[in-house]
């Protein structure tokens, strides 16, 4: 029987309220040093898209179509992520569990955690962010249905365009960051399949001598 760190097992069994998990999920959105370049590019793209939609004469119509498309993408990715994690659980065996429990990863605050805990936390945080994004998109979509295509909040057109551009850009940036985080989940799945392959190889090597003796 292999020894495990009792602290790591206690962390896995620790039950945290959903509000705290949601807070940690939003806290994880802050940009890291290695991601600053990609975050700047993402923000610049969202600003350009927000300016194009906000300054267009059919802003309400175009933004409504954009929200509808983003909502469909979020729902599709939500199903893919959940399916991917379900496949990971289906592939879980003894050797893979040992590998993930003995591999130590560094958290955002420098604390040590097992790779299994790190993957589980990232999955939960990403799923919570997707749920929030879907709710925001759904509320936005319903709100846009209640607004006429020629709606003006202020009498001055340029003021309406600027406010629309700011709000639309903020929406695009938030959704863009969440969709971009899906890449980290894909890399985690790639890592898990590699670990699974190694675990299967080690299991075959462990069973090899026994199989030869039986023959």
């Amino acid at each position: 029987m292999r020894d495990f760190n009792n602290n790591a097992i206690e962390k896995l069994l620790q039950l945290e309220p959903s509000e705290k998990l949601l807070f940690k999920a939003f806290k994880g959105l802050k940009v890291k040093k290695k991601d600053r370049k990609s975050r700047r590019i993402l923000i610049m793209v969202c600003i350009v898209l927000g300016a194009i939609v906000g300054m267009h004469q059919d802003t309400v119509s175009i933004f409504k179509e954009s929200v509808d498309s983003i909502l469909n993408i979020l729902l599709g990715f939500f199903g893919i992520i959940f399916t991917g994690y379900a496949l990971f659980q289906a592939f879980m065996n003894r050797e893979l569990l040992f590998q993930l429990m003995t591999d130590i990863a560094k958290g955002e605050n420098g604390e040590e955690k097992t790779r299994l805990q790190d993957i589980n936390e990232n999955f939960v945080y990403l799923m919570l962010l997707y749920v929030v994004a879907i709710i925001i998109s759904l509320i936005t979509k319903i709100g846009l249905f209640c607004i006429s295509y020629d709606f003006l909040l202020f009498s001055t057109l340029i003021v309406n365009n600027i406010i629309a551009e700011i709000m639309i850009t903020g929406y695009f940036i938030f959704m863009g960051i969440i969709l971009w985080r899906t890449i980290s989940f894909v890399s985690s799945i790639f890592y898990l399949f590699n670990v699974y392959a190694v675990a299967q190889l080690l299991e075959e090597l462990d069973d090899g001598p026994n199989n030869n003796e039986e023959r």
Side-chain angles (χ1 to χ4, degrees):
M1 182 179 180
R2 308 186 192 186
D3 295 328
F4 293 111
N5 189 342
N6 291 331
N7 187 33
I9 297 177
E10 290 177 0
K11 287 182 179 180
L12 284 175
L13 297 176
Q14 185 178 1
L15 180 62
E16 296 186 5
S18 56
E19 293 81 6
K20 187 176 181 180
L21 291 175
L22 187 60
F23 173 77
K24 289 183 177 180
F26 277 102
K27 187 178 178 181
L29 291 179
K30 64 180 181 180
V31 61
K32 301 176 183 178
K33 290 184 178 180
K34 63 179 181 178
D35 299 328
R36 285 179 180 175
K37 184 177 180 180
S38 60
R39 182 65 63 87
R40 290 195 191 101
I41 295 174
L42 176 63
I43 291 176
M44 288 301 298
V45 171
C46 292
I47 290 175
V48 172
L49 292 176
I52 293 174
V53 177
M55 294 298 178
H56 200 277
Q57 60 180 358
D58 296 325
T59 297
V60 177
S61 176
I62 295 175
F63 187 50
K64 184 185 294 184
E65 293 293 331
S66 300
V67 172
D68 190 56
S69 299
I70 291 174
L71 182 58
N72 291 333
I73 292 173
L74 290 172
L75 291 172
F77 277 2
F78 185 86
I80 292 173
I81 293 171
F82 191 85
T83 302
Y85 193 75
L87 286 174
F88 159 64
Q89 296 293 339
F91 282 131
M92 182 73 72
N93 56 19
R94 186 180 63 180
E95 288 296 331
L96 179 58
L97 180 61
F98 285 151
Q99 291 289 334
L100 295 177
M101 286 295 293
T102 54
D103 186 13
I104 303 299
K106 287 287 186 179
E108 294 183 358
N109 298 325
E111 77 277 9
E112 291 187 349
K113 60 178 70 174
T114 62
R115 185 66 63 179
L116 180 62
Q117 181 185 354
D118 184 57
I119 292 173
N120 285 336
E121 288 180 354
N122 288 333
F123 166 75
V124 172
Y125 298 159
L126 184 60
M127 294 295 286
L128 287 174
L129 290 174
Y130 263 90
V131 170
V132 172
I134 290 172
I135 293 174
I136 292 176
S137 297
L138 184 59
I139 294 175
T140 304
K141 184 177 180 180
I142 295 173
L144 289 172
F145 275 117
C146 302
I147 299 176
S148 61
Y149 291 126
D150 57 348
F151 173 79
L152 293 175
L153 186 61
F154 298 98
S155 58
T156 307
L157 181 60
I158 187 66
V159 175
N160 287 281
N161 289 339
I162 292 175
I163 293 177
E165 180 182 343
I166 293 174
M167 296 179 65
I168 292 171
T169 300
Y171 174 82
F172 283 161
I173 290 175
F174 180 66
M175 297 302 162
I177 292 174
I178 293 177
L179 291 173
W180 186 259
R181 283 181 62 88
T182 308
I183 297 177
S184 64
F185 178 79
V186 173
S187 62
S188 297
I189 293 295
F190 174 74
Y191 168 80
L192 288 172
F193 279 118
N194 288 338
V195 175
Y196 175 75
V198 172
Q200 288 292 100
L201 177 61
L202 293 176
E203 188 174 359
E204 290 294 329
L205 291 175
D206 290 339
D207 295 341
N210 294 331
N211 292 336
N212 292 334
E213 289 179 2
E214 290 178 359
R215 292 179 183 177

